[in-house]
Amino acid sequence: MKNVKSAIKLLFASLAFTSLTALSAEISNLSPDTEADRISWQKLDEQLGKTPAFPQKTVLGAIAKTKDIEFWQNIGKGYKFMADKMGVKLDYLAAQNEEDPLGQLNIAETLIAKNVTAILASPQTDVTLQLPFEEALKAKIPLINVSDAVIPQTRYFVGGMHYRNGMDVAEWFLQKYPKGGEVAVIEGLPLVYATTQRSRGFINTLKKNHDFKVVEQLCGNWVFEDAQKVTEEILKKHPNIIGIYCHNDIMALGAVDTLKKHDLLGKIVVFGTDGISLAYESIAKGELTGTVDSFPEVTGAIAVQVAARVISGQKVPRVVVTPQKLITKDNCETYRNRNIDFLIEELSK
């Protein structure tokens, strides 16, 4: 099965990068973390004015990675919250799971065939939606890349900065462990921009203290059970490890579960990413050390507003940076409240 999945990914990569049209070839490859044409979500009203209303009969199409993962459910809640608030129709669809690129591709083709007004898309990998992106360009349907993986030639990206995600966790280690130590990284799927950048941010920032050593970078595929197994491997090979950084909370909770079995909670710290409710619960109980919350509900809401700006013809910067924050036991109670209006107000301070 894994060989089949790998073959599919390679097929998508080959198709995507050997069939670029003249339209997409004119657009430089995007790295959201370093793109100069960027704006913070908090500055949108100040620089561009209030969000315009959607034209009548607007239909937004939205493509999620999956609906069975809380992070993507929360992106969807943000879409729906703002779509309802602005009175626009939303057609929100998702693949069966996070390893269903053909499902995502079919959804994109369906939305383009329906001639929706704009598309909000969270690709499963950087290459999964390259071909539909080009079809959308031809059809003059704006496609806004929302969070996580990045279509290289996307004109618009809305989401958190993945390099900063890893950097924030590394800064915590630098502060709490001035004598350094051995740490490991459990990564998400390959061929995903978030995977590469989160590791880079973490590893490069730790280099400020040469007493830190990243002893393992292992793939956990975003999956709880895979992270459990990977953590077992790490413990066997590196008994002196002091911490594990995981690219999502689901894998972080898998790592925590393995540490519990070995009675190592408190001796080895674990950080996740995303800010799902189970992560907050684990942090409050003193198990998971922390997470970087990307506030997906807010990201989804902002993405709908960005779509309104793009449709109205505003010159929106290529990257709209949405909020993210390192969450530990010190501040977890504040941000467990997932009311979107509250989060927007609190994070705007």
Side-chain angles (χ1 to χ4, degrees), residues 63-208:
I63 308 170
K65 276 190 170 186
T66 177
K67 288 185 182 177
D68 62 1
I69 301 292
E70 185 180 341
F71 180 87
W72 301 108
Q73 292 169 0
N74 288 340
I75 287 267
K77 286 177 184 177
Y79 289 156
K80 186 175 186 309
F81 168 84
M82 192 55 68
D84 289 347
K85 198 169 186 176
M86 297 184 70
V88 66
K89 184 177 178 182
L90 175 71
D91 195 352
Y92 178 48
L93 302 167
Q96 290 184 4
N97 55 59
E98 286 195 277
E99 293 186 338
D100 180 21
L102 291 176
Q104 273 213 319
L105 186 63
N106 289 336
I107 289 167
E109 297 285 357
T110 298
L111 291 175
I112 292 167
K114 286 183 178 180
N115 199 30
V116 294
T117 315
I119 296 174
L120 306 169
S122 298
Q124 293 191 347
T125 74
D126 294 356
V127 298
T128 305
L129 297 181
Q130 176 67 43
L131 299 180
F133 165 73
E134 297 195 18
E135 290 178 24
L137 275 181
K138 289 178 186 176
K140 297 185 179 179
I141 299 172
L143 189 152
I144 298 162
N145 200 143
V146 183
S147 192
D148 219 350
V150 180
I151 302 167
Q153 288 80 34
T154 187
R155 290 179 185 266
Y156 305 103
F157 177 88
V158 178
M161 296 297 97
H162 299 296
Y163 188 94
R164 184 189 148 193
N165 187 305
M167 183 179 75
D168 286 349
V169 176
E171 291 286 2
W172 183 94
F173 274 98
L174 291 169
Q175 181 182 357
K176 298 291 184 180
Y177 292 89
K179 293 182 180 179
E182 295 183 354
V183 294
V185 183
I186 301 181
E187 299 182 321
L189 283 170
L191 292 179
V192 176
Y193 179 81
T195 295
T196 303
Q197 290 299 98
R198 288 174 187 175
S199 286
R200 282 178 179 168
F202 183 70
I203 293 165
N204 289 346
T205 304
L206 280 184
K207 289 177 181 176
K208 292 179 183 179

Side-chain angles (χ1 to χ4, degrees), residues 142-277:
L143 189 152
I144 298 162
N145 200 143
V146 183
S147 192
D148 219 350
V150 180
I151 302 167
Q153 288 80 34
T154 187
R155 290 179 185 266
Y156 305 103
F157 177 88
V158 178
M161 296 297 97
H162 299 296
Y163 188 94
R164 184 189 148 193
N165 187 305
M167 183 179 75
D168 286 349
V169 176
E171 291 286 2
W172 183 94
F173 274 98
L174 291 169
Q175 181 182 357
K176 298 291 184 180
Y177 292 89
K179 293 182 180 179
E182 295 183 354
V183 294
V185 183
I186 301 181
E187 299 182 321
L189 283 170
L191 292 179
V192 176
Y193 179 81
T195 295
T196 303
Q197 290 299 98
R198 288 174 187 175
S199 286
R200 282 178 179 168
F202 183 70
I203 293 165
N204 289 346
T205 304
L206 280 184
K207 289 177 181 176
K208 292 179 183 179
N209 181 342
H210 297 295
D211 291 323
F212 273 102
K213 184 178 180 183
V214 179
V215 293
E216 293 287 354
Q217 285 175 257
L218 299 172
C219 180
N221 296 307
W222 309 119
V223 177
F224 181 92
E225 292 81 7
D226 288 6
Q228 286 176 309
K229 294 173 186 174
V230 165
T231 304
E232 289 283 0
E233 290 180 37
I234 292 168
L235 295 178
K236 286 176 185 175
K237 292 171 67 176
H238 307 284
N240 296 320
I241 195 163
I242 63 167
I244 302 172
Y245 166 47
C246 301
H247 284 183
N248 75 357
D249 287 335
I250 292 170
M251 295 190 297
L253 293 171
V256 165
D257 187 68
T258 297
L259 293 180
K260 275 186 187 178
K261 293 173 184 174
H262 291 273
D263 195 26
L264 289 171
L265 276 182
K267 297 174 185 176
I268 299 173
V269 300
V270 181
F271 272 88
T273 305
D274 290 343
I276 66 173
S277 58

